[in-house]
Amino acid sequence: MAKKERTAEEAAAKAARKAEKASKKAGKSVDAPSAATLEDKLDSHSPLAHVTATLYLALSPVVNNYPLEGACAEHLSPLLLQYQHKFGGVVLSYDNARLSEGPDDALRLDGPSDVLARSINEYGVGFVWLTADFLIFRPSPGTYIKAEVNLQNEGIFGLIHLNYFTVSVPKENLPVDWRWEGERWVNAQGEAEKEVVCKVEDFEPSGEGSISITGTLLGL
């Protein structure tokens, strides 16, 4: 009988310890990401991508004396700061442009130094392959960006990245300890942030070749 009583007491004590542990776990708050962690995320989950692409383009007769410069001015420069579906993002810059007679010739180290354009029947233009290295801004879901606070209201926290791309952070995607104080959002310490890090949730092309980004605010 005494043995059964001791067993019951042990079971009760064990249950009490388990309940206390569960209570502490439930009440434990989730720490915000540290500054070092956010910097690592910015480096490893950057929205910037380097892409090498080869395009088959028409070369106008007016640029025959300067074919490479003319092809870049006519076909590549208009792509800048525009969303391009084939790249999945916005073209920020390009360099190392080169002409070739075939799609793979420009990728060879021993490619031909002289390039002949292809002429078809009576068409006045020639056709060449133009290869370049592009820097693409591709804010896919899960990438991290650092942006400056721009516009804000009670429902939206607005940011601007690279002084060009706008990011919208809905109220529900702000930290739970942030609050609205009449004309601005402040953090748990009552301070208004000027620059923050956010995680991209989604983006979509908008008017005039730009994009619209939605994110979740993470911290400084």
Side-chain angles (χ1 to χ4, degrees):
M1 185 68 178
K3 185 176 181 180
K4 289 184 179 180
E5 289 178 353
R6 286 196 300 271
T7 302
E9 291 174 357
E10 291 174 356
K14 184 177 180 180
R17 290 194 300 270
K18 186 175 181 181
E20 182 180 1
K21 185 177 180 180
S23 177
K24 289 181 179 180
K25 184 177 180 180
K28 187 178 180 180
S29 60
V30 178
D31 294 333
S34 65
T37 301
L38 289 178
E39 289 297 330
D40 291 340
K41 292 290 188 181
L42 287 170
D43 291 336
S44 60
H45 296 73
S46 172
L48 300 179
H50 291 86
V51 177
T52 299
T54 301
L55 310 173
Y56 189 56
L57 305 171
L59 198 62
S60 301
V62 71
V63 300
N64 280 345
N65 289 336
Y66 304 96
L68 179 58
E69 293 81 355
C72 290
E74 184 177 359
H75 297 288
L76 297 190
S77 293
L79 302 180
L80 296 176
L81 295 182
Q82 298 291 311
Y83 177 82
Q84 299 297 320
H85 180 73
K86 56 180 170 289
F87 295 139
V90 177
V91 179
L92 297 183
S93 66
Y94 68 87
D95 62 359
N96 195 24
R98 57 269 194 200
L99 297 174
S100 62
E101 297 178 19
D104 300 325
D105 293 344
L107 304 178
R108 292 165 39 199
L109 297 177
D110 58 344
S113 57
D114 296 326
V115 176
L116 298 178
R118 183 184 182 189
S119 180
I120 302 176
N121 297 330
E122 69 275 9
Y123 289 110
V125 300
F127 293 88
V128 295
W129 292 89
L130 177 61
T131 301
D133 302 326
F134 297 88
L135 178 61
I136 308 298
F137 179 68
R138 188 186 295 160
S140 305
T143 55
Y144 288 69
I145 58 178
K146 181 180 288 187
E148 296 179 352
V149 179
N150 186 21
L151 300 174
Q152 50 186 310
N153 56 45
E154 195 170 358
I156 292 290
F157 192 66
L159 309 172
I160 187 165
H161 178 61
L162 298 178
N163 202 33
Y164 185 78
F165 300 102
T166 57
V167 183
S168 297
V169 180
K171 176 182 178 180
E172 56 270 20
N173 289 1
L174 292 173
V176 294
D177 54 3
W178 280 45
R179 64 183 185 276
W180 175 253
E181 285 195 347
E183 58 182 19
R184 61 182 182 177
W185 284 95
V186 297
N187 59 22
Q189 290 73 39
E191 301 171 344
E193 304 292 355
K194 295 182 179 180
E195 188 177 59
V196 295
V197 175
C198 70
K199 179 181 179 181
V200 176
E201 298 296 336
D202 197 9
F203 83 96
E204 61 181 2
S206 57
E208 299 183 358
S210 188
I211 56 177
S212 176
I213 307 171
T214 304
T216 294
L217 192 64
L218 297 179
L220 300 179

